[in-house]
Amino acid sequence: MIASQRNGPPAAANAPAPPRPLDGDPAAGHPARAVPDRAVVRDALGVGLAVGASGLAFGVAGAAAHLTVWQTCVLSLLVFTGASQFALTAALAAGAAPFAAIAGALFLGVRNSLYGLRLGPRLELPRLLRPLAAHAVIDETTAVAMVQPDRRSTRIGFAVTAVSLYLTWNLTTLAGALGAGALGDPTRLGLDAAGPAVFLALLGPRLREAGEQRSVALLGAVLALAATPLLPAGIPVLLAVVAVPVVGLLRRKRPLEES
């Protein structure tokens, strides 16, 4: 017994270490479970194709904002973040100044930078691919990537969602813009309400969330509605952004008061 211990290390020392969970993994502290590539691709394609179909609505919203077909398509190609695009077209359709409309869209797009901070350590992409991947950091790609248990499935989910959503979104944007343009004046058919209606639909799911998301959505909606009859078009959207720091300050102040 003594000789065997001297001649070789204990069996426990030779045992392979358990797989290390990814940084930011919701199941941190537990071994990551492998997911079949086919299942990841299936789920990612489902998200990409389903969400990409809503590009039809953006094509119609672009026409309602009196954008040309090519202007609408360039927005989808270069901006590629639905909420910001709908906010921009809704403000333009309401008669907002271009600067105010662009500023509101930029405020909404800031959240994608925060997504990038979470995704970076999980993806660990080569430097040359990072600028291209940054263009695809949006709500849907982040959601699919963050639920994956290991780096391989995270990369597959992110890439498949990004490619399928980008292609579908831009094709349906073109179809919606061409279809709306063929109908003539969008205001005659009430299509000028498409942009605001879809933007409010995007706000709806946040109202079902608990905690800060619902508070921010409610306060932002109240601020925008209250300011609409008092301020020029486009400014109420910018004012609604104030809801984010206000809710954050109130939630930080409450624990201090309770302590």
Side-chain angles (χ1 to χ4, degrees), residues 55-64 67-73 170-184:
L56 282 169
F58 178 70
V60 174
L67 299 177
T68 64
V69 172
W70 76 266
Q71 287 173 330
T72 304
C73 291
N170 282 281
L171 288 174
T172 54
T173 293
L174 175 61
L178 290 174
L183 294 175

Side-chain angles (χ1 to χ4, degrees), residues 22-124:
L22 289 171
D23 295 335
D25 185 29
H30 300 282
R33 294 178 298 173
V35 177
D37 293 349
R38 182 179 300 178
V40 180
V41 171
R42 179 197 61 212
D43 295 342
L45 276 177
V47 172
L49 297 177
V51 177
S54 61
L56 282 169
F58 178 70
V60 174
H66 302 289
L67 299 177
T68 64
V69 172
W70 76 266
Q71 287 173 330
T72 304
C73 291
V74 166
L75 274 175
S76 281
L77 286 167
L78 300 183
V79 178
F80 187 51
T81 173
S84 295
Q85 293 179 231
F86 279 114
L88 176 64
T89 53
L92 292 176
F99 176 79
I102 293 172
L106 286 175
F107 273 122
L108 286 173
V110 168
R111 73 190 189 283
N112 294 339
S113 300
L114 303 179
Y115 294 159
L117 295 177
R118 295 290 305 277
L119 283 174
R122 294 178 63 88
L123 292 172
E124 284 193 352

